[in-house]
Amino acid sequence: MSIQNIVQLQKDFFKSQKTKDISFRKKVLKSLLKEIIAREKDIINAIHNDFKKSEYETVMTEISIVLSELKLTIKNIHKWSKPKRVLPSLLNFPSSAKIYSEPFGNTLIISPWNYPFQLAFAPLIGAVAAGNTVLLKPSELTPNTSNITSEIVHKIFQQDHVSVIEGGVSVSQELLNIRWDYIFFTGSVSVGKIVAKAAAEYLTPTTLELGGKSPCIIDETASLKLAARRIVWGKFINCGQTCIAPDYLLIHTSAKAEFIKLFKKELQKAYGEAPKSSEDYARIINSKNFERLSDMIKGETIAVGGKTSKEDRYISPTIVDEPLLTSKVMQEEIFGPLLPIISYTSEQEIGNVISSFDKPLAFYIFSNRKNFIRKMISEYSFGGGTINDTTVHFANHRLPFGGVGESGIGSYHGKRSFDTFTHKKGIVSRGTWLDIPTRYAPYKGKLKQLKTLMKLG
Ligand code: NAD
C-alpha cells in the first residue's frame, strides 16, 4: 500500500473517534506489552545482528525501558486522560475550569538507529496512549530491528491506527512533505533542522530529540576511581553511540594522571585485555561512521586504545589526549568510542571550552564540592545531566528527557510522553445564576470596582 493510502486510512480512523476511547488505547497497549515480552529473544537477536550489541545491553537499554514505559502508561492512562479541574478565576465568578487532554491527530515518528528499538517504541507508546494514530519510520541502518519493529506493530495494531514504513532518506523526505498533526523526530541536529523546516510549512508542532557535544567535568575533589568506572560504563555502552554519552572530559590538571591510570584499570575490568574479543563490546554501525571516527584520531596523541579494524568496524575504547578545539574530534559530536581528555586549571578554562559549543544534550560533573556543582548547573544551559555518574538521568521517567537550543526542542518519558502528544484544551464553564455587570459597557464609574476584582482574581 502506498504511503498516501496509509496516511488517508489513518486520517479516516482518527476522524472515526475510535482512538478517543481510553479503554481501547489501554487494551492495545496491553497487547503490545505481551507481544514484546513474547518476542524478547527475537529483539535481542535483531539488534545483535545489526551491530553486535550484547544481550545484556539490549535488555537494559532497550527492552526494559520500553516495558517500564508501557507498564507505567497502562497503569495511569485513565488518570492522565481525565479532565483536570483547576481553580477558577474570581474574574469569571461564578465558574469552574478544567483542562481537557485531546490527541493531536495523525502523528509521524522518525527514529534513529542507535537505540533502534527503544527510540522507536518509547515515543510510540506516548502517542498511542494520548489517542493519536502513528506512522513510524525506523532507521534504515538497523534493518533487522526495523523489521521486527514492523512485525510487532503490524501484529498488534490495525494499519489505520499504527503503521511502520521502512525506508531511508527518500521515504523520510516523502513523509515530511505530508501534513501531520504532530512530528516526533529523534536524530542528528542537521536532519532535525530539515524536519523543523518541513514542519513549518504547516505549522506542525514538533518534538526534536537531537544531539551535541556533552561535556563531563572532573574536578580535583572527585572520587576518581568511581568516576573512572562510571565514565567507562557510560561512554562505551553501545560502543559510544549514545546521544547522551559524555563526549569529552574536562579534568583538573592535578587529577589527570591518576584518572588515566584508573580508567585503564576499569576498562580492563569491563572488557578485558582485548575489547575486540569481548562479547559485551558492540561495533560501529556502518563503514561511513567507522571512517569518520578513524579519521578523527589520525594525528592525535592517544593516551588509551586507538586500535581499529576495518573488517568488523571495531574501534577500541580510546582516550584522545589534549586535542585542540579546532581538531576534528572536537569540532563535531563524536558518537563513537573516542573520548578526548582536556585538562584545566581554572573555571575560566572550563567556560572557554563549553561555551565554544551549542547547548549540549547532557552534562556531567564529578565533584565532591556542592558549591561547584551548584555553580555549574546554574551557569550552563543543557538538556539534563547527572552528578557523579553518567547517563543515568535518562532512566528516571519522572524527569523530562530532551534537549535545549541545538540539542533539541521538547521532552518526553513517563507522563511527559503522554503530555507531549496531547493538546491541553482549557475550558471555563460559567454559571448562569449570577451575572456580575462590571465588565459590560457603559464603563463609566466601574474602573475602581474592576481594579479591586483584578487584585482578587
Ligand atoms: P540521522 O539524523 O541521520 O537519522 C535519523 C532519522 O532521520 C533516520 O530515520 C533517517 O532515515 C532520517 N533521515 C536521515 N537523513 C534524512 C534527511 N536528509 N531527510 C529526512 N530524514 C532523514 O541520525 P542517526 O544517525 O540515525 O542518529 C544519530 C544522531 O541522533 C546523533 O546526532 C545523536 O545524538 C542523535 N540522537 C539523539 C537522541 C535523543 O534522544 N536526543 C537519541 C539518539 C540519537
Side-chain angles (χ1 to χ4, degrees):
M1 198 181 288
S2 74
I3 289 180
Q4 291 297 340
N5 283 346
I6 297 173
V7 171
Q8 192 51 53
L9 281 178
Q10 294 202 331
K11 284 191 174 169
D12 294 343
F13 189 73
F14 186 72
K15 273 197 204 125
S16 77
Q17 304 277 318
K18 184 104 196 259
T19 68
K20 298 271 173 82
D21 178 354
I22 314 295
S23 303
F24 165 74
R25 300 181 204 168
K26 190 168 173 173
K27 200 169 143 218
V28 281
L29 290 174
K30 276 186 172 170
S31 306
L32 180 61
L33 177 77
K34 272 196 199 145
E35 184 64 12
I36 291 174
I37 292 170
R39 301 290 304 268
E40 185 182 271
K41 271 275 165 244
D42 298 334
I43 299 163
I44 290 165
N45 289 338
I47 302 181
H48 190 265
N49 290 339
D50 281 329
F51 60 111
K52 277 199 173 169
K53 182 158 162 166
S54 68
E55 174 174 356
Y56 187 91
E57 282 192 8
T58 292
V59 170
M60 176 172 56
T61 66
E62 310 256 10
I63 300 173
S64 71
I65 290 182
V66 170
L67 291 181
S68 59
E69 284 280 320
L70 266 170
K71 285 176 195 157
L72 182 85
T73 307
I74 290 165
K75 188 171 164 211
N76 291 290
I77 187 165
H78 280 284
K79 190 167 88 193
W80 293 346
S81 340
K82 260 193 203 147
K84 186 171 180 275
R85 190 180 281 277
V86 294
L87 281 179
S89 158
L90 207 62
L91 289 172
N92 294 330
F93 186 79
S95 74
S96 63
K98 277 185 187 166
I99 303 168
Y100 286 78
S101 289
E102 167 185 281
F104 280 106
N106 303 111
T107 65
L108 170 66
I109 297 176
I110 299 180
S111 56
W113 60 266
N114 65 323
Y115 286 84
F117 186 78
Q118 189 233 119
L119 294 174
F121 277 99
L124 183 149
I125 293 162
V128 169
N132 301 277
T133 67
V134 179
L135 211 152
L136 165 69
K137 196 212 78 68
S139 175
E140 68 280 22
L141 301 187
T142 41
N144 296 295
T145 316
S146 297
N147 222 296
I148 195 168
T149 298
S150 176
E151 277 175 30
I152 292 173
V153 164
H154 291 131
K155 175 158 182 208
I156 299 305
F157 297 95
Q158 291 170 223
Q159 202 178 16
D160 47 7
H161 182 199
V162 181
S163 199
V164 175
I165 302 273
E166 291 180 71
V169 177
S170 61
V171 169
S172 204
Q173 281 166 345
E174 192 181 340
L175 290 168
L176 288 172
N177 285 332
I178 294 167
R179 180 176 196 149
W180 299 96
D181 297 307
Y182 203 91
I183 300 176
F184 190 105
F185 171 80
T186 308
S188 59
V189 175
S190 58
V191 181
K193 287 179 184 174
I194 294 172
V195 173
K197 275 190 194 144
E201 176 68 20
Y202 299 112
L203 293 179
T204 305
T206 54
T207 296
L208 302 176
E209 293 283 339
L210 311 177
K213 282 190 94 61
S214 301
C216 176
I217 303 170
I218 305 166
D219 82 353
E220 60 277 34
T221 68
S223 312
L224 290 184
K225 189 166 179 241
L226 206 57
R229 185 182 309 153
R230 290 176 177 179
I231 292 168
V232 163
W233 180 78
K235 179 67 186 183
F236 301 117
I237 194 166
N238 224 40
C239 197
Q241 302 164 117
T242 303
C243 57
I244 49 170
D247 188 276
Y248 61 95
L249 300 180
L250 281 166
I251 189 161
H252 193 272
T253 313
S254 63
K256 185 179 159 188
E258 178 65 8
F259 175 79
I260 291 181
K261 211 164 82 191
L262 292 164
F263 190 89
K264 282 181 185 163
K265 270 195 194 157
E266 292 300 332
L267 250 188
Q268 216 215 343
K269 266 199 224 161
Y271 303 110
E273 275 299 340
K276 195 171 182 216
S277 334
S278 164
E279 277 182 5
D280 299 328
Y281 192 66
R283 291 296 183 266
I284 306 302
I285 186 68
N286 59 10
S287 311
K288 192 174 154 208
N289 272 315
F290 175 84
E291 295 301 340
R292 182 181 65 80
L293 290 160
S294 304
D295 226 38
M296 280 182 174
I297 46 179
K298 277 191 191 130
E300 295 294 342
T301 307
I302 303 299
V304 178
K307 295 201 174 68
T308 64
S309 135
K310 201 172 176 171
E311 312 81 69
D312 69 341
R313 304 190 309 275
Y314 164 77
I315 299 183
S316 66
T318 297
I319 287 194
V320 184
D321 199 10
E322 307 285 348
L324 296 174
L325 286 188
T326 50
S327 64
K328 273 193 185 145
V329 78
M330 289 306 290
Q331 283 291 293
E332 55 178 91
E333 180 186 0
I334 295 171
F335 217 59
L338 313 177
L339 187 59
I341 188 163
I342 298 172
S343 51
Y344 70 86
T345 46
S346 69
E347 284 179 22
Q348 178 62 45
E349 287 172 71
I350 295 179
N352 291 346
V353 178
I354 293 176
S355 311
S356 63
F357 303 110
D358 282 301
K359 296 176 181 180
L361 182 59
F363 200 98
Y364 303 108
I365 308 161
F366 285 85
S367 170
N368 281 309
R369 287 184 297 156
K370 286 208 167 77
N371 283 346
F372 176 72
I373 294 168
R374 262 198 295 270
K375 193 167 172 214
M376 293 295 111
I377 293 175
S378 91
E379 205 155 304
Y380 299 106
S381 179
F382 50 89
T386 305
I387 311 303
N388 289 319
D389 204 344
T390 59
T391 75
V392 295
H393 59 292
F394 184 89
N396 184 342
H397 69 79
R398 292 169 200 89
L399 295 174
F401 181 77
V404 58
E406 284 226 338
S407 58
I409 297 174
S411 60
Y412 72 131
H413 284 184
K415 179 173 186 293
R416 233 170 236 96
S417 295
F418 178 91
D419 289 340
T420 287
F421 285 100
T422 302
H423 166 61
K424 299 289 179 192
K425 201 150 105 183
I427 302 284
V428 169
S429 179
R430 292 293 318 272
T432 52
W433 56 273
L434 179 72
D435 196 21
I436 299 169
T438 316
R439 71 175 154 142
Y440 300 119
Y443 301 130
K444 200 160 188 273
K446 292 179 177 171
L447 196 57
K448 204 171 156 204
Q449 210 178 349
L450 175 74
K451 283 186 175 170
T452 313
L453 263 175
M454 298 287 274
K455 261 189 215 155
L456 293 170

